[in-house]
């Protein structure tokens, strides 16, 4: 099975900009064998664009899973838990676009289904597949004395970047589907963090939907933190800063803030040691072709030096699809698996709870 028959659930922006074009380009590895979206008009429109047969365009994921598929890519509105579990129970390999879920309980359901099925479960943290990140990771792992880490995620308005593409959407999603999705999301969020004030809820969505990339990237470098030292939420839940403690008494200060008036998206990760500094800047996930430049600073005796590198311009979304194929066909363990995602969602919960303990009223 060198060529995987894959079905895609969710034909929205990230599918149109990244996943579907890359699946088509990777025709030696993938056959796009089915499409699903709650919008019947959209699934037909995208199906025509990618030559998916009429009978393989559906509006319910259960109907997609009845097709002759090896794997599914889930990239529809959260939560995706029920679809992931059903797909794994049906014997399909599963690639879930981030976030995998909201709560640790949901994560355990998905992981349990993957373990029972023996199928690949991979989570779409594309930044861990980014060539710049992989280069920076090797540099960081060679640092003998890491003391301080800083992650900044200055999130501009998505619409400013989405407007650079021709995207298709229709207004025919049934009301009951919208209502059911909202109810499932509400239940999952309450399961994750309980009944908290609106500002804490807002930042939880930002943590699990956007800052989850930074949390995942940090885990890929250092593993999960020992503890959350502090968490501060401000501007009505549009911003959060958390301090995380890692082994050897290292600290990370991580901030996510919404700056919707700006076009400039800025997501950086910097690691400081006694004699070395490594930094990386990521592009927005809606860019196709922009690299993640890396800066390395050090000392040669008393002489300081700086290297600024662009490792290559391979698209991280495409690389993760290549990796998923390798996992399915050759049995390799995913770089971004369900166990790591579970740790990430536990940390999102712990950041919110740390804030609530300091601000109980």
């Amino acid at each position: 099975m060198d060529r995987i028959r894959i079905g895609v659930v969710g034909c929205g922006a990230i599918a149109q900009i990244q996943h579907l074009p890359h699946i088509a380009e990777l025709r030696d590895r993938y056959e796009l064998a089915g499409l699903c979206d709650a919008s019947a008009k959209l699934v037909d429109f995208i199906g025509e664009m990618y030559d998916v047969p009429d009978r393989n365009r559906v509006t319910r994921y259960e109907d997609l899973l009845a097709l002759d598929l090896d794997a599914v890519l889930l990239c529809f509105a959260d939560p995706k838990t029920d679809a992931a579990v059903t797909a794994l129970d049906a014997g399909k390999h599963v690639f879930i676009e981030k976030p995998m879920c909201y709560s640790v309980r949901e994560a355990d359901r998905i992981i349990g289904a993957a373990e029972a099925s023996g199928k690949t479960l991979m989570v779409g943290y594309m930044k861990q597949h980014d060539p710049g990140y992989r280069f920076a990771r090797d540099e960081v792992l060679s640092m003998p004395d890491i003391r301080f880490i800083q992650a900044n995620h200055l999130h501009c308005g998505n619409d400013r970047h989405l407007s650079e593409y021709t995207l298709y959407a229709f207004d025919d999603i049934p009301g009951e589907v919208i209502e059911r999705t909202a109810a499932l999301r509400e239940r999952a969020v309450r399961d994750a963090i309980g009944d908290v004030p609106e500002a804490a809820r807002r930042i939880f969505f930002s943590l699990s939907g956007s800052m989850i990339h930074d949390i995942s990237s940090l885990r890929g470098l250092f593993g999960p933190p020992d503890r959350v030292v502090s968490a501060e939420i401000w501007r009505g839940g549009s911003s959060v800063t958390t301090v995380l403690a890692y082994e050897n008494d290292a600290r990370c200060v991580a901030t996510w803030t919404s700056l919707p008036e700006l076009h400039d998206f800025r997501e950086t990760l910097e690691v400081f040691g006694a004699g070395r500094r490594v930094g990386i800047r990521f592009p927005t996930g809606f860019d196709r072709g922009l690299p993640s430049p890396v800066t390395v600073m050090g000392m040669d005796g008393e002489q300081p030096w700086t290297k600024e590198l662009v490792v290559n311009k391979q698209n991280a979304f495409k690389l993760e699809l290549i990796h998923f194929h390798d996992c399915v066909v050759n049995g390799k363990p995913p770089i971004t698996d369900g166990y790591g995602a579970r740790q990430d969602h536990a940390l999102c919960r712990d950041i919110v709870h740390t804030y609530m303990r300091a601000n109980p009223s």
Side-chain angles (χ1 to χ4, degrees):
M1 186 187 63
D2 290 341
R3 194 163 183 246
I4 296 172
R5 289 176 54 82
I6 194 167
V8 175
V9 185
C11 297
I14 202 64
Q16 293 180 42
I17 294 170
Q18 299 285 6
H19 292 303
L20 291 170
H22 291 313
I23 288 171
E25 291 170 13
L26 294 169
R27 59 183 60 86
D28 58 326
R29 292 177 171 88
Y30 289 99
E31 176 188 350
L32 182 59
L35 284 175
C36 175
D37 195 277
S39 168
K41 292 180 180 178
L42 180 60
V43 78
D44 279 339
F45 188 93
I46 300 298
E48 288 292 326
M49 186 181 297
Y50 286 95
D51 295 322
V52 176
D54 290 357
R55 63 183 179 280
N56 290 3
R57 307 172 197 169
V58 298
T59 58
R60 300 172 65 252
Y61 69 79
E62 295 91 343
D63 295 330
L64 185 83
L65 295 175
L67 303 176
D68 179 20
L69 302 175
D70 304 306
V72 292
L73 166 59
L74 307 180
C75 53
F76 59 96
D78 301 306
K80 311 180 190 77
T81 303
D82 289 345
V85 170
T86 304
L88 289 162
D89 288 347
K92 313 299 183 187
H93 302 278
V94 172
F95 179 2
I96 309 180
E97 181 56 73
K98 67 82 190 169
M100 181 173 79
C101 54
Y102 286 122
S103 73
V104 171
R105 192 193 310 270
E106 288 180 291
D108 288 338
R109 278 188 64 203
I110 297 170
I111 292 169
E115 290 176 342
S117 70
K119 298 299 180 180
T120 297
L121 168 63
M122 183 168 136
V123 182
Y125 293 130
M126 84 289 185
K127 296 185 184 193
Q128 282 208 44
H129 298 266
D130 186 289
Y133 175 84
R134 303 306 297 177
F135 181 88
R137 182 177 183 274
D138 289 342
E139 292 286 327
V140 169
L141 293 180
S142 70
M143 294 171 63
D145 183 19
I146 294 170
R147 299 183 179 182
F148 177 61
I149 307 137
Q150 184 146 21
N152 286 326
H153 194 140
L154 283 61
H155 201 283
C156 62
N158 281 342
D159 288 348
R160 298 182 183 276
H161 290 269
L162 291 174
S163 65
E164 298 170 9
Y165 300 91
T166 301
L167 299 175
Y168 303 96
F170 300 90
D171 60 358
D172 63 329
I173 299 177
E176 59 267 23
V177 173
I178 297 172
E179 292 173 3
R180 183 170 67 251
T181 299
L184 289 171
R185 185 182 302 118
E186 177 65 21
R187 186 173 68 188
V189 170
R190 286 183 176 273
D191 184 44
I193 58 174
D195 188 10
V196 299
E198 183 58 29
R201 283 174 56 89
R202 285 187 63 194
I203 209 62
F204 176 76
F205 282 115
S206 298
L207 286 167
S208 58
S210 179
M211 196 177 179
I212 198 78
H213 279 305
D214 308 279
I215 289 170
S216 165
S217 296
L218 287 167
R219 175 177 50 77
L221 294 172
F222 309 110
D226 294 336
R227 61 190 174 92
V228 180
V229 178
S230 64
E232 180 65 21
I233 296 172
W234 74 97
R235 296 192 68 84
S238 68
S239 303
V240 60
T241 291
T242 184
V243 178
L244 308 174
Y246 288 91
E247 63 179 8
N248 299 322
D249 207 25
R251 293 292 184 273
C252 172
V253 177
T255 294
W256 188 96
T257 186
S258 175
L259 299 171
E261 296 84 2
L262 293 176
H263 181 275
D264 182 44
F265 174 88
R266 194 169 294 257
E267 182 181 2
T268 57
L269 175 58
E270 297 176 283
V271 182
F272 301 83
R276 185 70 61 90
R277 169 184 172 184
V278 178
I280 181 170
R281 178 175 175 177
F282 296 103
T284 173
F286 301 123
D287 281 315
R288 294 195 70 195
L290 287 183
S292 298
V294 178
T295 301
V296 184
M297 302 176 67
M299 298 289 291
D300 186 3
E302 294 301 313
Q303 181 64 41
W305 55 264
T306 299
K307 294 190 296 184
E308 295 184 352
L309 309 101
V310 173
V311 182
N312 59 45
K313 294 187 177 181
Q314 288 178 279
N315 183 283
F317 283 92
K318 190 172 184 178
L319 289 173
E320 66 179 351
L321 278 167
I322 293 171
H323 180 64
F324 181 63
H325 178 274
D326 198 16
C327 294
V328 170
V329 172
N330 299 314
K332 288 192 175 181
I335 293 172
T336 51
D337 61 17
Y339 304 104
R342 184 191 190 280
Q343 293 174 327
D344 297 340
H345 290 292
L347 181 54
C348 292
R349 173 202 64 198
D350 293 347
I351 290 170
V352 171
H353 286 174
T354 298
Y355 168 77
M356 290 306 304
R357 284 194 294 270
N359 300 271
S361 59

